[in-house]
Amino acid sequence: MQLIEEESSEIASSNRGPGRYAVFGQPIAHSLSPRIHAAFARQLSIAHDYRPIEASTEEFVGALAAFAESGGVGANVTLPLKQHAARLCLSISETARRADSVNTLVRRGEGWHGESTDGAGLIRDITGRQRLYVRGRRTLLLGAGGAARAVAFALLDAGIGELTIANRTAERADALADAIGQPERVHTRYWTDLGQWGGFDLVVNATSAGHANMSLALPTSLLASRAICYDLSYGKASFGFLAWARSAGAGHALDGLGMLVEQAAEAFEIWHGKRPETDAIYAELRAYLPGDAED
């Protein structure tokens, strides 16, 4: 990581003024990342030009090339571009390679280096901020996209007991399980059989259903006593899943705001070599978001 930090700093200094940073995704107008990174930059007195850039999967290659041409030295990547970003990198970290998912880009010479900070952000939020444990927990992961892939490896590395993956397209869940390669700990199940799996200690929603105003229609039998339910989304996109979790008797119903802040801090440290303190911006954003999205 030190090499990444030194190289990104050298590249940034070679451009006129502060290096440019961005977050790519679609949709992107709702993103809190610019606000978070602005707060980190103020805290550490670092010049940090960071902007949202809307890009579809078809537009991403051109948009990223134009960004680099304009002086871009670092970027975050969100839905639906994380796996696409992995294909565009000249080099990639082991964490990102395993997950086949990139959410942080660093400019190295004439190409991009890819990192994945989603998993680290999730674990920091659950075990650090929320002071909950994941070790030994029987875990259900809903979804098999880029974010799901990143957190699956992080959860296993953190010591969960076993992982069951469910996705509406069963082939994607099977592909993720095959990529992990731990058949004694990792299983897949059909979405239509959700009610037959018994109780889970930790349920992580990594689907995009909330962004599309879709209901997951989950059975209450999924939850063990005092289970943790965690939605990787935040704000209104997480409301449906968290409402279900509370009605089903979850011990903790959490949205992904803390994960968002922590993965951003990981990216900021990669770019600038300094890790910002996260509690103040987390509290600010928690007060800013509509509704109650945390227990």
Side-chain angles (χ1 to χ4, degrees), residues 24-262:
F24 289 85
Q26 189 179 56
I28 203 63
H30 71 287
S31 176
L32 295 176
S33 291
R35 184 167 179 167
I36 294 170
H37 281 278
F40 291 164
R42 288 193 301 270
Q43 178 191 135
L44 295 174
S45 300
I46 291 175
H48 189 75
D49 179 352
Y50 186 104
R51 304 174 185 181
I53 299 177
E54 180 98 11
S56 67
T57 54
E58 294 77 17
E59 297 165 337
F60 184 45
V61 173
L64 186 60
F67 173 66
E69 182 67 22
S70 70
V73 296
N76 290 132
V77 181
T78 187
L79 290 172
L81 304 174
K82 294 181 180 183
Q83 288 180 278
H84 293 275
R87 308 288 186 271
L88 299 178
C89 292
L90 290 184
S91 62
I92 196 170
S93 71
E94 178 62 16
T95 299
R97 186 200 63 77
R98 287 197 305 164
D100 190 26
S101 174
V102 162
N103 77 327
T104 301
L105 295 168
V106 183
R107 192 69 178 172
R108 284 186 172 183
E110 296 302 313
W112 293 103
H113 174 78
E115 295 276 355
S116 176
T117 66
D118 281 329
L122 173 70
I123 300 304
R124 275 184 174 270
D125 186 44
I126 293 179
T127 63
R129 176 170 291 105
Q130 308 298 340
R131 299 188 181 280
L132 301 170
Y133 68 92
V134 298
R135 184 168 296 277
R137 287 188 180 270
R138 183 172 187 248
T139 300
L140 172 63
L141 177 63
L142 301 172
R149 296 178 71 91
V151 303
F153 284 95
L155 288 165
L156 289 163
D157 290 346
I160 61 171
E162 63 178 80
L163 178 66
T164 297
I165 306 168
N167 192 65
R168 292 191 183 279
T169 304
E171 291 78 9
R172 295 193 72 185
D174 291 338
L176 176 52
D178 289 344
I180 293 170
Q182 299 183 39
E184 72 284 357
R185 294 177 69 196
V186 181
H187 319 281
T188 61
R189 297 291 186 271
Y190 288 112
W191 193 277
T192 52
D193 297 335
L194 281 171
Q196 303 175 26
W197 299 351
F200 290 89
D201 306 306
L202 173 61
V203 178
V204 177
N205 179 29
T207 73
S208 59
H211 294 279
N213 295 316
M214 295 171 55
S215 172
L216 294 176
L218 301 171
T220 59
S221 59
L222 283 178
L223 299 189
S225 175
R226 301 294 297 169
I228 300 171
C229 290
Y230 196 106
D231 197 318
L232 301 191
S233 299
Y234 58 88
K236 291 181 179 179
S238 67
F239 285 3
F241 176 75
L242 298 184
W244 166 80
R246 294 184 181 108
S247 68
H252 302 273
L254 306 167
D255 72 358
L257 180 64
M259 173 182 166
L260 175 73
V261 172
E262 295 301 329

